Amino acid sequence: MIDFAVRTLPFLWDGLLVTLHVSAVVLVVSLVLGVAAGVGFAYGPRWVRAPLRLCSDVLRGTPLLVLIFCVYYLLPFAGLNLQPFPAAVIALSAFKAAHVAEIARGAIS
């Protein structure tokens, strides 16, 4: 059992580093996009608020795993082939930006 743990430790370490990298990028991107969308919710004209509301409701209502699968497997049909890291960053950032937008909208209101 100890031998197995020692052999898998480098892989776990690599996974931890990738997770921290994805988390840092998603945190920055979703914060910027979410605050911008929240300001658009609060102060934007109707033609800005309506698409933001639609996108926010769809993204917040979609399970995260489904969103990740859609970004990774359906975007190649649109001609956008992504590696796993950018696909994960896009899906997670969109999901979290929708939540941050609602938080920002509520804070402004």
Side-chain angles (χ1 to χ4, degrees), residues 33-55:
L33 292 177
V35 169
V39 170
F41 279 145
Y43 297 118
R46 183 177 302 261
W47 60 271
V48 170
R49 286 192 314 253
L52 285 176
R53 170 65 52 206
L54 178 67
C55 288

Side-chain angles (χ1 to χ4, degrees), residues 7 28 33 40 49 55 60 63 71 83 89 94-95 98 100 102:
R7 284 183 298 151
V28 171
L33 292 177
R49 286 192 314 253
C55 288
R60 287 186 308 124
V71 168
Q83 296 297 321
V89 167
F95 186 76
V100 171
E102 286 298 320

Side-chain angles (χ1 to χ4, degrees), residues 3-78:
D3 183 46
F4 176 75
V6 170
R7 284 183 298 151
T8 59
L9 195 58
F11 299 110
L12 292 173
W13 180 253
D14 291 341
L16 175 67
L17 292 178
V18 169
T19 301
L20 291 175
H21 189 208
V22 168
S23 298
V25 173
V26 167
L27 178 73
V28 171
V29 171
S30 64
L31 184 65
V32 170
L33 292 177
V35 169
V39 170
F41 279 145
Y43 297 118
R46 183 177 302 261
W47 60 271
V48 170
R49 286 192 314 253
L52 285 176
R53 170 65 52 206
L54 178 67
C55 288
S56 175
D57 288 345
V58 167
L59 288 172
R60 287 186 308 124
T62 304
L64 183 57
L65 188 59
V66 172
L67 187 61
I68 292 170
F69 282 160
C70 286
V71 168
Y72 188 71
Y73 290 113
L74 293 181
L75 284 182
F77 288 114

